Amino acid sequence: MLHLMYLYKPTLQARRDLTAFWQWVSDRDKWFYGRLSMAQNKRWYIRTVGEDDYCLEHYVSFADSEALGEYCKSVVELCESPEWGKRYIEQENWWDIMDYRLLTDAPINVLH
């Protein structure tokens, strides 16, 4: 599995109206991933301790590099639609992308 992680810092607008922000995140999650079935296991976390506290970590998983490639290609194609592209860039009102990383599963079995 491959895991794409984004680190988002909520904007001043978002911090001033957290109810609207979380509603936007929920609506965006459904809208954005609605056409991207290759994206799996979407997870959201709030950093509460350490560097970049009160930022959001967002993880999305892909079965393999082919699925990740299809995801990237699909996002580019969707952005070519003026309506979709306009909604896509509204994220700038709500958060700044601080970092992103691509992670892979370690080749070991972990017993829980």
Side-chain angles (χ1 to χ4, degrees):
M1 295 286 287
L2 299 172
H3 312 280
L4 190 56
M5 185 282 294
Y6 290 97
L7 178 63
Y8 299 120
K9 181 177 182 174
T11 63
L12 181 59
Q13 172 183 320
R15 295 189 309 271
R16 284 184 173 160
D17 190 348
L18 289 173
T19 301
F21 171 68
W22 286 112
Q23 184 62 55
W24 176 83
V25 171
S26 177
D27 293 345
R28 182 188 184 277
D29 199 67
K30 292 173 194 149
W31 164 80
F32 184 81
Y33 292 111
R35 297 183 191 175
L36 301 168
S37 61
M38 72 294 289
Q40 306 169 6
N41 304 323
K42 297 168 290 293
R43 297 174 316 281
W44 292 90
Y45 300 96
I46 301 171
R47 285 189 181 184
T48 54
V49 176
E51 248 182 82
D52 299 317
D53 57 343
Y54 300 105
C55 286
L56 305 175
E57 288 188 21
H58 175 50
Y59 293 83
V60 60
S61 301
F62 303 91
D64 52 31
S65 58
E66 185 176 315
L68 176 61
E70 184 61 31
Y71 166 82
C72 294
K73 179 182 173 193
S74 295
V75 170
V76 168
E77 289 173 355
L78 288 166
C79 281
E80 290 175 359
S81 159
E83 183 178 319
W84 201 93
K86 181 179 177 186
R87 186 162 183 193
Y88 178 75
I89 64 168
E90 78 179 16
Q91 68 184 342
E92 295 172 357
N93 296 324
W94 295 101
W95 59 41
D96 295 313
I97 300 172
M98 305 298 291
D99 191 16
Y100 60 94
R101 299 168 190 235
L102 184 61
L103 310 166
T104 59
D105 289 336
I108 61 171
N109 290 324
V110 179
L111 300 177
H112 295 282

